[in-house]
Amino acid sequence: MSQLEDIYQAVLNGDTEVTLEKVRAALSAGVAASDILQTGLIAAMGEVGRLFEEGDYYVPEMLIAARAMQAGLEILKPLLVEAGVEPVGKVVIGTVKGDLHDIGKNLVSMMLEGAGFEVVDLGVDVAPEKFVAAIHDGVDILGLSALLTTTMPSMESTIKAIEEAGLHDRIKIIIGGAPVTAEYAKKIGADGFAPDAGQAVTLAKSLID
Ligand code: B1M
């Protein structure tokens, strides 16, 4: 089995110790951090989702797989993030109300930090009022993440709350998460959508230029 397959399997088994061991071994053998992320960790979470849909995995299995992935991600973080010297802009980010998924949002935060943005992460299950309260002078971008079709409407209510507070003309709002699309972003009045963490960085940079 290749090193990336070992990592994939360890996450699928929800085995944090083995995930840590295999990620370290792959790095020592010279495997690129980005390959470990995409082909090992992210691919495994995709399979976890598929197994959950098929009824072969339940919430506890999803949760322990997510923990194993996050442990692996912690090792990769310093390698994926090459901190910029001067912040290029400030981003407030969070997973919207009702939604507890944070792996994708954490990845987006990490990549933004790596690209030189200052990031204020409000966490998960963030109510619209909390997003509004976090928009101070100096904030350039608000990032909203949602992984559930049932919490996508929280993105719309958050944008509405930002508009009602008269803050939308001061910031750009970007959204993302597995069920989110560019069409949905347009429909709810967001300024942009990104399908993954890398493209979130490109989008954020283009919006502050
Ligand atoms: Co949940 N879950 N989950 N889950 N979970 C999904 C999302 C699901 C698709 C699984 C499935 O059925 N196949 C399904 C949603 C179905 C739907 O809405 N149509 C689902 C469900 C149903 C649920 C529960 C309702 C299950 C239950 O209780 N019966 C429950 C809801 C809890 C809640 O939130 N209120 C639930 C719970 C959980 C756990 C807690 C067990 C765990 C989360 C742990 C955690 O996050 N700390 C979990 C997990 C792990 C998943 C799957 C398996 C993996 C998600 C993940 O981390 N992916 C997921 C299945 C899947 O997505 N295939 C699933 C890896 C991550 C890197 O990708 O998050 O997509 P992603 O992020 C990407 C992009 O989307 C994008 O960039 C990221 C990096 O490239 N992106 C942005 C994300 N945010 C962005 C923001 C941006 C820009 C880009 O700008 C601001």
Side-chain angles (χ1 to χ4, degrees):
M1 220 196 278
S2 84
Q3 278 163 321
L4 293 174
E5 279 168 8
D6 285 349
I7 295 167
Y8 177 95
Q9 202 54 50
V11 172
L12 214 52
N13 296 341
D15 194 328
T16 299
E17 286 312 310
V18 176
T19 303
L20 290 171
E21 184 194 310
K22 299 294 177 189
V23 168
R24 286 194 190 106
L27 287 172
S28 308
V31 180
S34 55
D35 289 342
I36 296 175
L37 177 66
Q38 294 299 337
T39 315
L41 303 178
I42 292 185
M45 289 314 286
E47 178 62 3
V48 169
R50 197 190 64 76
L51 290 167
F52 177 75
E53 248 170 60
E54 302 275 303
D56 292 331
Y57 268 25
Y58 297 92
V59 174
E61 282 95 347
M62 265 205 300
L63 197 55
I64 57 167
R67 283 202 195 122
M69 174 177 179
Q70 272 177 328
L73 210 51
E74 279 304 309
I75 300 184
L76 298 184
K77 188 173 176 179
L79 300 162
L80 295 169
V81 172
E82 289 164 23
V85 188
E86 278 291 308
V88 295
K90 188 167 177 178
V91 181
V92 169
I93 195 167
T95 302
V96 295
K97 189 172 178 183
D99 201 320
L100 302 175
H101 296 85
D102 67 356
I103 297 175
K105 183 261 300 163
N106 293 346
L107 211 48
V108 172
S109 298
M110 198 190 286
M111 299 302 273
L112 284 168
E113 278 177 11
F117 284 90
E118 182 186 345
V119 178
V120 178
D121 187 344
L122 301 180
V124 297
D125 190 20
V126 181
E129 317 81 79
K130 198 168 169 194
F131 281 115
V132 169
I135 307 299
H136 299 294
D137 283 347
V139 174
D140 304 291
I141 291 173
L142 174 65
L144 306 177
S145 179
L147 260 286
L148 299 171
T149 44
T150 48
T151 55
M152 284 167 67
S154 297
M155 292 181 144
E156 186 168 15
S157 27
T158 302
I159 294 178
K160 213 166 165 206
I162 299 281
E163 269 157 13
E164 281 168 5
L167 294 170
H168 198 169
D169 53 351
R170 283 168 40 184
I171 53 157
K172 300 288 186 195
I173 303 175
I174 67 174
I175 67 172
V180 181
T181 61
E183 291 71 37
Y184 184 70
K186 205 169 166 199
K187 179 173 164 262
I188 65 171
D191 301 296
F193 155 79
D196 59 41
Q199 292 183 62
V201 170
T202 311
L203 175 65
K205 280 183 175 165
S206 73
L207 287 172
I208 58 162
D209 267 350

